[in-house]
Amino acid sequence: MNNMKYHIWTEGCQMNTADSQRLASALEALGYEYIEKPEDADVVVLNTCMVRQSAEDRARGRLGSLKPAKEKNPNMIIGLMGCMVGYKDPKPLKKKLRLVDVFAPPSNPRPIVDYVMSRLVADEKQGAETASFEWNSGEILLPKPQQGTAVSAYIPVVYGCSHACSYCIIPYKRGAERSRDPEEILAHARSLAAQGVKELTLLGQIIDRYGLDNQDYPKLPELLRRIHDIEGVERIRFLTSHPNWMTDELLKTVAELPRVMSHIEVPAQSGSDKVLENMRRGYTDAQYRDLIAKIRDTIPNVSIGTDIIVGFCGETEAQFEETVQHLSDLKLNVVHLARYSPRTGTLSERTMADDVSEEEKWRRFRVIQKLQEGIQGEYHEKLVGQTVKVLFEERKHRRWLGRTENMDLVFADSDEDLAGKLLPVNIDWSSPWTMGGTIV
Ligand code: SAH
C-alpha cells in the first residue's frame, strides 16, 4: 500500500471529536496515514456542526476550499459527515454538494469506511481484500499523535437527544436519544486504556440519562464504577448533564470514586424563568440554584461549568440582568457562552422572533465575559502557592500543558516527556484562563 493518506477536519462538539477518532481508527486499520494538508490527502473528511450559523459557515467554506484539489486529483475521496448531513436520507444534499463523494450521519462514519473500501477494491489497491474493521467490537486504534493527545480521549455513551430545547437543532440532526451498549463502551474504554490513554470523558447530550431507555443497561453511576475498575484509567469525567436528570446517587458516586474528576458540566442557559420557559428547559432559576448548592455539598472541592445563551428571542434587558445576577451569585468556574443563532426548523426559529440585535447580543456577551473573567481570576489567584495534581497532556511551545482534576489549565517547564504523567505542581502565577507552576 503506497502510503495512502487521509485528513479529517472536525468542527463542533466533543462528540464530533470522538466520531472523527473512530473514523481515523478505521482508516488507519485500512492502511491510511494521517496527513496535515488536506489537499495532499487521498481521503478528506469534513465532520460538521450546525449548532450555530458560524459553525455551518465554516464547514461550507472548508468544502469550497477543497474544490481546486479535487479538480487536480479527481480520485480524491471527499466525505461529509456530522450534523450537516444529519440522520435522514442524504439524497437532497447529494444534489446540492456535487464535490462530495460520500455522506455519513453523526456518530456513524461507517458509510465513509465502506465507500473507501469499495474504492480500494475497484482500484485493485493491494490489501483491499484483507482490510477490515470490526464496527461493534468497541475496539479503537488510537490515531497517531498528530491527531491530538493520546493522554485523554472521548467515549460516546448516549447518542442523539430527545429533549427538544426550543433553540437546539441537535435532536433534528442526531435523532432520538439512544444509549450505547455497555459492553461496547467497556471494550472501547479498555482498548483506550491499553493504548496508554489516562483520562476518559464519557459523552452524551444528557449524559445523566444513560441507560434509562433500556432496562437491561446499567445506569450512569454503575457505568462509572465499571469504568473506574479498568486498569490504567486514572481519570474519568462525563458531560453534559441536564439539571433535571442529575440524581443524588450520581453525585454521591462522583464524590466516592477517587478517579472520577470533581468537575460537573451542567448548563443553565439563562437565569431568567421566563427565558428558561421559552427555551423549554424544564426548570426554574431557583431549582438550578438549589442543584448547585447540592452539588457543592456532596462533592468536596468541585468545579462547575455552565453554558449560557445571550440574546435569546424576546430576552429583555431586565431578563438579561437576571442572568448576570445568577452568574455573579453562583460564581461557577467556567461559562461556555453563545449568542443566540436561529436554526432552521427548531421551535424558536419557527415561532419566536429573533428580536435582539446583533449589536446587543455582542454587548451582553461581553458583559458576561468580563464578569466571568473576574470570577475565574479570583479562583485561580487563590491557588497561587498551593500544590495541585496535574495530568500533563502535551507540549505547547516550550512549556508542558496539563489539567487539574477541576479542569484548570496549568503550564510547567520541563525537558522531560511529561505526556500522561500525573504530577504535583506548585502554582507560581495565575490568570483568569491559565496558571503556571513548578513541578514538585
Ligand atoms: N446537550 C448539551 C449540548 C448542546 S450544544 C447541553 O445541553 O448543553 C452546546 C451548547 O450550544 C448549548 O448548551 C447551548 O448553550 C448552545 N446552543 C445550542 N443551540 C444554540 C443556538 N441555536 N444558538 C446559540 N447557542 C446554541
Side-chain angles (χ1 to χ4, degrees), residues 51-52 167 170 205 240 267 269 307 309 338-341 343:
V51 85
R52 285 178 286 276
Y167 50 83
I170 291 174
Q205 298 302 335
T240 305
Q269 309 296 1
D307 296 4
I309 299 176
R339 285 158 290 120
Y340 172 63
S341 170
R343 309 282 59 220

Side-chain angles (χ1 to χ4, degrees), residues 201-221:
T201 303
L202 312 186
L203 300 176
Q205 298 302 335
I206 302 184
I207 184 88
D208 329 75
R209 286 180 48 84
Y210 176 72
L212 295 183
D213 54 344
N214 189 321
Q215 59 176 15
D216 297 333
Y217 285 2
K219 310 308 160 210
L220 186 58

Side-chain angles (χ1 to χ4, degrees), residues 293-305:
K294 189 159 77 181
I295 295 173
R296 285 174 166 160
D297 278 348
T298 315
I299 308 169
N301 200 24
V302 69
S303 73
I304 301 174

Side-chain angles (χ1 to χ4, degrees), residues 4 30 32 115-125 128 131:
M4 300 177 301
L30 293 178
Y32 284 83
Y115 180 82
V116 169
M117 291 221 294
S118 72
R119 285 275 296 266
L120 287 178
V121 172
D123 299 347
E124 294 181 330
K125 283 260 167 60

